[in-house]
Amino acid sequence: MLDKEFNEIELDGEGLASVVFIDEAGGLSSDQKRALMGGKGASLAEMATTLSLPVPPAFTITTEVCRTYLSMGWPVDLDETLKVAVAGLEERTGRRLGDPSNPLLLSVRSGAAISMPGMMDTVLNLGLNDDTTTGLAGATDERFALDSHRRFVQSFADVVLRVDAPLAEVVASAVKKAGVEREADLSVEAMAALLGDLRAIVDATPGAVLPTDPFEQLRTAVAAVFDSWMGDRAIEYRKIEGIDGDIGTACTIQVMIFGNRDDASGSGVVFTRDPSTGEDRLTGDFLPNAQGEDVVAGTHSTLTIDDFNRSMPELGAELDRVLACLEGHYRDMCDVEFTVEKGRLYILQCRVGKRTAGAALRIATQLVDDPGVTLSQAEAVVRITPDHLSQILYAGFSEIDIPELTSGLGASPGAAVGRAYMTTDGAIDAVDRGEQVILVRRETSPDDVAAMAVVEGILTSHGGLVSHAAVVARGWGTPCVCGADQVEVADDHFRVGDVVVSEGDMISIDGSTGSVTLGGRDVVKSVVPPELDSILAWADEIASDTLAVRANADTAEDAVAARNAGAIGIGLCRTEHMFLSSDRLPLVRAMILAETTEAETEALEQLATAQQADFEGILEAMDGLPVTVRLLDPPLHEFLPDIGDLVAAEARGELDSEGMALLKSARYWTEVNPMIGTRGVRLAHLRPGLYRMQARALCSAVMARRAAGGKPLVEIMVPLTVSGPELAVAVQWIRESATEVGMMESPPVGTMIETPRAALLAGELARYADFFSVGSNDLTQLTYGFSRDDVEGRFMDLYLKKGLLEHNPFEHLDESGVGELVDLAVERGRNVNPSLKVGVCGEHAGDPRSIPRLLAAGVDYLSCSPARLPTARLASAHAVQESTSPALRRLER
Ligand code: PEP
Ligand code: MG
């Protein structure tokens, strides 16, 4: 990932690239900055250099050092490098680490190339001991110095010493005991006592030693930050988000700015747009006389950004300018951490903000129109992920007049119903038992992510719109209500006033409105944001000439839905689905049971009439767009009653003569492996009248549509072919049928590629085919020899758990095995018939993960179920974009 040349760069004689000062990183490319300095270091560097924003001095120990540390331990020269780097900070600030008269204090923060909010560790106010605290008190004031020292002890004990004690509760009870609102209000004496309590807990913890030497504090804090890359919650998050575990984290060491300095100080977090709705307005929280951790922990009641603007109008205006500059630079919504110290504004962090899917759509389209940003349409398309689309169909509740139990902030939209569990373990166990769960917590912390990833919804009693619960839930599209402050959470129940909700009781939460109700409510799907149409139209502009998306649709209704959902044709119309309705089934059975040619012909004629009407409906709905109709495919026994039922009925003497005939027929057609039995074109060779009838009905429908002034474009497809001659005969039937009904030309005829032999002998099949459509469901089944109806319920889970398979090949295309067969089919088919069109109509055609591989194989179009159309259109555009201009990568968020 890192280019070798860069690793050898020397930076202003400060040593090798193991340490980079943010104000000296101007010569690095954005990619180099991000890879070496992590997202946090890179953004600090950009703000300090390119944007000249007020950023406290800092340097970053690179990810390269972290990787070395994790594989080989503390590098021998790192102490020296750190000393030189700290001297650089001392030079920039005129203060010295450990100087008792005017100490330099530092923050030590993690930050990987890909943002993992809250998953790794941070140590703040580093550099304090008894001497420096006294010095700091002399230079500032005592309350502040003691507050900073107790914050240092608390974060060092937690992150570096891993003291297993409820330190936050000790702080909370000191506040309660003093009868004040929050820590900032504690008297000097109470603060000193609290500091003493925290130190006593550390001293009583075996093996925990709080170093007094500030440099030793720094060394151990850096090691702890690197170690946190391998912490359980970081590993869990990477697994869920698919982040490479080898890249490591950078560690940024920055001069502390004190939001807890006094009442003209404070800390805030602000989004440049509303991350829930995408609305173009600043959204965030501010806490006077506090450090940033107090804001994001969700443990304090914060002010809004509007309140901040009102209380500090000049700073509000300055912040506005900074945010506009950041949005223009990153060309996206930013999530910014800032601190005010004695009336001066500092920016501590900026990253592209997490957002809901609806907000992502709205922001991407807004930025295309924003003259300050002018995002291209292609950039807007790549910023929307398939995951966003799966989230946008936010569910809501059908009834609205249900009395509320309580309410909080609608932090991540969507409706969720489930049983309340108040602990992470309880929630996970319940999900494992198959229950739908709402996780109810006072606030969430990164330790809860394993549960947060699997529950239906999250309810917290504390924290605002940028609290951990809100940010994580929004990123994952999990409905979440935050800050429902009437909720008192215990381990096995929660209480709202007199109402007690026990573990396992059903509740409903609405992450859009913030409402919480008792019992399970009916959930209904929501309306898709109108911006989706623009994004998908732009996606089509990118992809439709290269990898167009059609729909699988079997009825006129499906065809209408498919056309409305943007399908540019039907790639698979399964005609057998037309035979399953109650009025058609007797006709099919009559055809199967026919013992004479006349009886068979009569049944087929009746079916032809019914089918023609169906085809006309579909062709009308798709007028002017191609419709690929597949002739009958599944085994005939699917049209007969269950043989077991028939045998039982016979035993009870309940079968009449028709029943007896059905039983006889069912016995005749029963097969040991019906999926590899008399299916598809094989059945047609046994009953030659069948495909002729279907082709006649279809061609007659074409003629009727033409007579009505329509423009029907039909393509006929033969399923489950394995040999050229088998296909050649079927093509002949179709041509003759077209002529019979007076069609001047034969419609295009193609075949499905569903068997490994068809793929291997694609050259032979291409002699008779105008197009191929890859049936990747059967092709997967037959390539693996896995019954598609059985294995997922039997051994698939086991195989996945044991790592015997990387993934379920019915869900994502097996790129190396089945993928190679698709490559061969395309290549060998086109060698013989260069104008051969190739589509894919198995489930993989709607799977975003499979689509790039299908594009690479050279297919021309995809065909998927209407519900998956938006995702497939988007994924197709991403794949085409990626293959034509890989530089335009999706922004990580
Ligand atoms: C396939 O096999 O991929 C296919 C589309 O056909 P069916 O699922 O109907 O067998
Ligand atoms: Mg098939």
Side-chain angles (χ1 to χ4, degrees):
M1 172 178 212
L2 296 175
D3 86 43
K4 181 167 175 297
E5 213 182 310
F6 178 71
N7 275 320
E8 288 163 6
I9 288 177
E10 291 221 359
L11 296 162
D12 286 352
E14 296 278 4
L16 289 180
S18 48
V19 159
V20 183
F21 270 87
I22 60 168
D23 54 0
E24 289 176 348
L28 307 181
S29 72
S30 310
D31 283 352
Q32 284 174 326
K33 279 202 273 269
R34 184 167 274 272
L36 277 177
M37 304 176 73
K40 189 169 290 158
S43 78
L44 287 173
E46 270 158 21
M47 292 193 287
T49 56
T50 320
L51 305 178
S52 304
L53 295 180
V55 179
F59 65 83
T60 299
I61 309 175
T62 64
T63 50
E64 180 74 4
V65 178
C66 174
R67 289 189 289 271
T68 308
Y69 169 81
L70 291 175
S71 62
M72 286 151 51
W74 189 258
V76 275
D77 52 356
L78 188 53
D79 277 359
E80 200 41 47
T81 308
L82 267 181
K83 280 185 184 146
V84 174
V86 168
L89 289 182
E90 291 173 340
E91 209 176 285
R92 282 164 173 82
T93 56
R95 277 179 280 154
R96 274 193 312 107
L97 186 67
D99 179 356
S101 59
N102 188 16
L104 173 68
L105 301 190
L106 301 173
S107 68
V108 180
R109 294 171 187 264
S110 55
I114 298 171
S115 144
M116 296 167 53
M119 296 301 136
M120 290 177 295
D121 289 332
T122 290
V123 180
L124 300 174
N125 306 288
L126 186 139
L128 285 171
N129 53 28
D130 287 341
D131 290 346
T132 51
T133 303
T134 311
L136 184 65
T140 59
D141 71 76
E142 203 174 355
R143 182 211 65 84
F144 159 68
L146 288 169
D147 184 41
S148 301
H149 197 175
R150 74 93 194 156
R151 285 170 185 271
F152 167 65
V153 172
Q154 201 178 330
S155 73
F156 198 91
D158 181 32
V159 168
V160 185
L161 303 177
R162 302 264 163 221
V163 170
D164 187 17
L167 302 171
E169 280 172 29
V170 174
V171 177
S173 66
V175 169
K176 202 167 169 198
K177 192 166 143 213
V180 293
E181 277 270 294
R182 60 200 193 102
E183 302 94 284
D185 304 326
L186 289 176
S187 65
V188 168
E189 295 69 31
M191 193 70 86
L194 171 59
L195 174 59
D197 290 348
L198 292 171
R199 289 170 75 162
I201 292 174
V202 174
D203 291 344
T205 306
V209 179
L210 221 161
T212 49
D213 172 16
F215 188 75
E216 189 53 25
Q217 294 173 355
L218 181 61
R219 283 182 89 251
T220 44
V222 170
V225 163
F226 286 158
D227 285 334
S228 69
W229 177 258
M230 295 310 290
D232 290 348
R233 62 187 195 221
I235 291 173
E236 182 71 30
Y237 187 87
R238 287 200 292 273
K239 208 163 75 192
I240 295 164
E241 293 281 306
I243 299 170
D244 179 357
D246 292 333
I247 57 175
T249 180
C251 177
T252 294
I253 291 155
Q254 188 166 39
V255 172
M256 277 298 295
I257 297 297
F258 297 101
N260 60 331
R261 179 73 180 78
D262 55 22
D263 286 335
S265 308
S267 295
V269 177
V270 59
F271 288 86
T272 54
R273 295 175 191 239
D274 185 325
S276 275
T277 63
E279 209 185 312
D280 186 5
R281 65 178 185 94
L282 300 185
T283 310
D285 304 77
F286 181 77
L287 253 187
N289 203 343
Q291 291 195 350
E293 52 180 349
D294 304 334
V295 184
V296 290
T299 45
H300 295 68
S301 299
T302 52
L303 302 180
T304 65
I305 285 298
D306 289 344
D307 294 335
F308 167 70
N309 284 339
R310 270 190 290 275
S311 65
M312 300 184 174
E314 276 173 27
L315 284 177
E318 194 185 340
L319 181 65
D320 257 2
R321 282 193 297 279
V322 167
L323 296 177
C325 164
L326 286 170
E327 213 181 58
H329 178 73
Y330 287 105
R331 314 178 76 236
D332 207 341
M333 178 190 77
C334 296
D335 165 358
V336 179
E337 237 181 273
F338 64 96
T339 285
V340 176
E341 182 181 311
K342 287 175 103 36
R344 260 191 82 180
L345 176 72
Y346 295 88
I347 307 301
L348 300 189
Q349 176 172 308
C350 171
R351 60 187 173 204
V352 166
K354 304 252 179 220
R355 67 206 67 189
T356 63
L361 282 168
R362 201 153 302 140
I363 291 168
T365 50
Q366 278 168 7
L367 292 180
V368 169
D369 297 332
D370 189 328
V373 179
T374 54
L375 205 66
S376 71
Q377 294 177 352
E379 284 174 300
V381 168
V382 293
R383 283 189 185 182
I384 305 302
T385 64
D387 267 359
H388 284 138
L389 294 200
S390 34
Q391 291 165 26
I392 56 169
L393 296 176
Y394 290 130
F397 293 121
S398 52
E399 341 83 300
I400 39 175
D401 286 324
I402 302 281
E404 238 174 41
L405 172 65
T406 186
S407 69
L409 302 166
S412 179
V417 175
R419 298 184 185 282
Y421 282 88
M422 274 53 72
T423 62
T424 280
D425 288 347
I428 291 175
D429 289 349
V431 171
D432 286 345
R433 289 195 300 272
E435 290 179 31
Q436 295 197 316
V437 170
I438 307 281
L439 180 67
V440 183
R441 305 282 285 157
R442 187 171 188 274
E443 67 248 10
T444 65
S445 77
D447 292 331
D448 295 311
V449 289
M452 295 167 82
V454 294
V455 295
E456 301 299 313
I458 298 160
L459 168 63
T460 69
S461 58
H462 278 63
L465 289 174
V466 291
S467 65
H468 180 265
V471 171
V472 172
R474 214 177 287 129
W476 287 342
T478 305
C480 175
V481 173
C482 267
D485 56 6
Q486 292 175 352
V487 173
E488 289 172 49
V489 186
D491 267 4
D492 61 353
H493 68 274
F494 72 84
R495 179 189 285 278
V496 178
D498 291 332
V499 183
V500 174
V501 180
S502 302
E503 191 180 66
D505 287 354
M506 209 60 162
I507 58 168
S508 303
I509 63 166
D510 189 333
S512 310
T513 63
S515 113
V516 180
T517 41
L518 278 178
R521 297 170 64 179
D522 288 340
V523 175
V524 281
K525 278 188 185 164
S526 78
V527 182
V528 175
E531 289 81 5
L532 181 61
D533 286 344
S534 306
I535 292 288
L536 292 179
W538 299 336
D540 291 345
E541 270 170 40
I542 295 169
S544 56
D545 287 344
T546 317
L547 188 62
V549 186
R550 300 189 188 184
N552 294 352
D554 309 323
T555 63
E557 264 169 29
D558 287 357
V560 171
R563 191 169 195 150
N564 289 340
I568 58 103
I570 289 179
L572 174 62
C573 170
R574 293 172 159 109
T575 50
E576 57 272 16
H577 290 179
M578 299 170 176
F579 289 155
L580 291 173
S581 62
S582 56
D583 54 334
R584 305 286 160 79
L585 205 52
L587 300 179
V588 183
R589 285 186 179 157
M591 191 246 324
I592 299 170
L593 297 177
E595 285 182 351
T596 63
T597 316
E598 293 75 35
E600 184 183 312
T601 309
E602 194 189 324
L604 283 172
E605 280 315 317
Q606 289 186 33
L607 275 174
T609 312
Q611 281 233 292
Q612 182 175 333
D614 291 338
F615 289 140
E616 281 181 38
I618 292 174
L619 291 174
E620 186 178 354
M622 297 304 283
D623 198 53
L625 297 177
V627 175
T628 307
V629 175
R630 179 176 77 183
L631 302 179
L632 194 75
D633 181 24
L636 281 187
H637 80 282
E638 287 189 11
F639 296 106
L640 297 171
D642 181 76
I643 190 162
D645 293 349
L646 288 171
V647 169
E650 185 200 24
R652 291 194 302 270
E654 290 168 3
L655 287 189
D656 57 12
S657 60
E658 195 190 335
M660 290 302 289
L662 277 171
L663 176 59
K664 185 173 156 209
S665 188
R667 280 201 173 114
Y668 177 78
W669 287 107
T670 295
E671 292 177 320
V672 174
N673 290 318
M675 288 302 272
I676 49 175
T678 316
R679 282 181 66 187
V681 68
R682 305 164 199 171
L683 175 68
H685 281 280
L686 277 181
R687 298 267 165 151
L690 182 64
Y691 277 12
R692 283 179 185 277
M693 175 280 287
Q694 287 197 289
R696 256 196 334 272
L698 191 46
C699 294
S700 302
V702 169
M703 300 298 281
R705 286 295 312 142
R706 282 183 186 161
K711 192 167 177 254
L713 298 175
V714 80
E715 300 168 342
I716 303 183
M717 182 154 78
V718 178
L720 221 73
T721 319
V722 293
S723 82
E726 187 187 38
L727 177 61
V729 174
V731 172
Q732 192 56 29
W733 294 329
I734 294 164
R735 295 218 167 110
E736 285 168 11
S737 303
T739 313
E740 265 173 47
V741 301
M743 249 174 99
M744 301 298 285
E745 79 295 356
S746 165
V749 182
T751 181
M752 293 193 66
I753 302 291
E754 291 171 290
T755 65
R757 190 173 200 277
L760 292 167
L761 297 196
E764 186 185 320
L765 297 178
R767 288 171 53 205
Y768 310 100
D770 299 309
F771 66 91
F772 286 168
S773 182
V774 177
S776 51
N777 304 334
D778 273 314
L779 192 56
T780 300
Q781 160 167 261
L782 297 171
T783 302
Y784 279 83
F786 281 176
S787 161
R788 59 194 262 193
D789 297 321
D790 299 316
V791 298
E792 283 164 292
R794 292 273 159 87
F795 59 79
M796 186 64 77
D797 267 0
L798 179 86
Y799 263 48
L800 296 177
K801 274 196 192 117
K802 288 194 153 186
L804 304 178
L805 281 177
E806 237 173 65
H807 59 79
N808 176 351
F810 291 109
E811 191 181 357
H812 308 302
L813 187 78
D814 159 41
E815 297 197 5
S816 44
V818 178
E820 188 169 348
L821 286 171
V822 181
D823 292 338
L824 283 180
V826 174
E827 189 191 316
R828 292 183 182 178
R830 288 210 181 117
N831 277 344
V832 171
N833 176 358
S835 61
L836 187 83
K837 206 164 45 163
V838 183
V840 178
C841 61
E843 283 308 304
H844 306 90
D847 170 44
R849 202 167 126 179
S850 308
I851 287 173
R853 180 64 180 87
L854 295 171
L855 174 71
V859 309
D860 301 302
Y861 68 90
L862 307 164
S863 189
C864 62
S865 58
R868 300 182 88 183
L869 270 167
T871 313
R873 287 165 69 194
L874 183 78
S876 167
H878 284 185
V880 171
Q881 189 72 56
E882 205 72 50
S883 73
T884 50
S885 58
L888 191 65
R889 285 197 305 265
R890 253 156 284 171
L891 276 187
E892 162 276 311
R893 52 191 92 256

